[in-house]
Amino acid sequence: MKDKKNNAVITEEGKVFFDSNILIYFVDERDERKQSIAKEIIADAVQNQNGMISTQSLQEFYNVVTKKMNCPKEKAKELVTMFCELFPVTQITIPLILSAIDISIKNEFSFWDSLILSTANDTGCILIYSEDLNSGQIISGTKVLNPFLT
């Protein structure tokens, strides 16, 4: 199903993976449009029970909101806990790291973007919501979608 408001693909058929920037925009009040879109796609994933995140996404989220958005560390911890309660969290493992290296070599992506792709692929996600990767690209069966493109 296509969401006409923000051009994001909303899926009920498979799992979706959230890159850290989606979690960050969920709480970032500096960009109301992006925050609204992030809230909508996260709420949809909660309703459909098909969202996934990783320890990497949580670490990057915590780092950005505390350092760049001046969020108090206690509040940031509450937000990390909330995301952990909303979605299953995949822990980064050595096989995921090695797979990420392969993706990075093959596609010439950064290691960190490759680790997101590796984790999403490993957990069976059909879609990654990310602002950092090329929207529309399919890597190992997982499609990348930037929900903020107009």
Side-chain angles (χ1 to χ4, degrees):
M1 172 177 24
K2 192 129 179 152
D3 180 349
K4 293 177 182 149
K5 270 188 184 172
N6 60 34
N7 208 30
V9 173
I10 306 297
T11 179
E12 296 175 9
E13 293 93 31
K15 293 187 280 185
V16 298
F17 191 91
F18 294 106
D19 195 351
S20 59
N21 48 52
I22 306 300
L23 306 180
I24 292 163
Y25 284 122
F26 182 84
V27 300
D28 189 354
E29 297 175 349
R30 298 174 296 180
D31 189 326
E32 290 179 16
R33 185 183 78 81
K34 287 184 178 181
Q35 183 182 39
S36 174
I37 292 168
K39 284 184 174 186
E40 186 175 337
I41 61 175
I42 286 175
D44 184 71
V46 169
Q47 180 180 354
N48 292 319
Q49 298 181 338
N50 65 347
M52 301 282 298
I53 54 176
S54 68
T55 52
Q56 176 191 358
S57 296
L58 294 171
Q59 291 164 329
E60 291 175 359
F61 169 82
Y62 179 84
N63 187 53
V64 169
V65 298
T66 57
K67 291 188 176 181
K68 293 184 179 178
M69 296 173 53
N70 297 319
C71 180
K73 291 180 179 181
E74 295 79 11
K75 176 65 177 170
K77 181 180 178 184
E78 289 174 18
L79 293 166
V80 167
T81 301
M82 177 194 72
F83 288 127
C84 292
E85 291 169 352
L86 292 175
F87 304 116
V89 179
T90 300
Q91 187 170 2
I92 300 303
T93 62
I94 292 170
L96 289 175
I97 292 169
L98 295 174
S99 173
I101 291 169
D102 290 339
I103 291 170
S104 177
I105 292 168
K106 181 179 178 182
N107 299 286
E108 298 184 14
F109 293 152
S110 77
F111 171 75
W112 300 112
D113 289 345
S114 298
L115 189 55
I116 289 292
L117 288 160
S118 172
T119 307
N121 289 336
D122 187 70
T123 56
C125 291
I126 62 167
L127 186 66
I128 299 173
Y129 283 110
S130 177
E131 184 179 45
D132 296 335
L133 299 162
N134 292 326
S135 194
Q137 189 169 22
I138 299 173
I139 307 293
S140 300
T142 304
K143 184 174 184 175
V144 175
L145 181 70
N146 180 345
F148 307 119
L149 292 178
T150 53

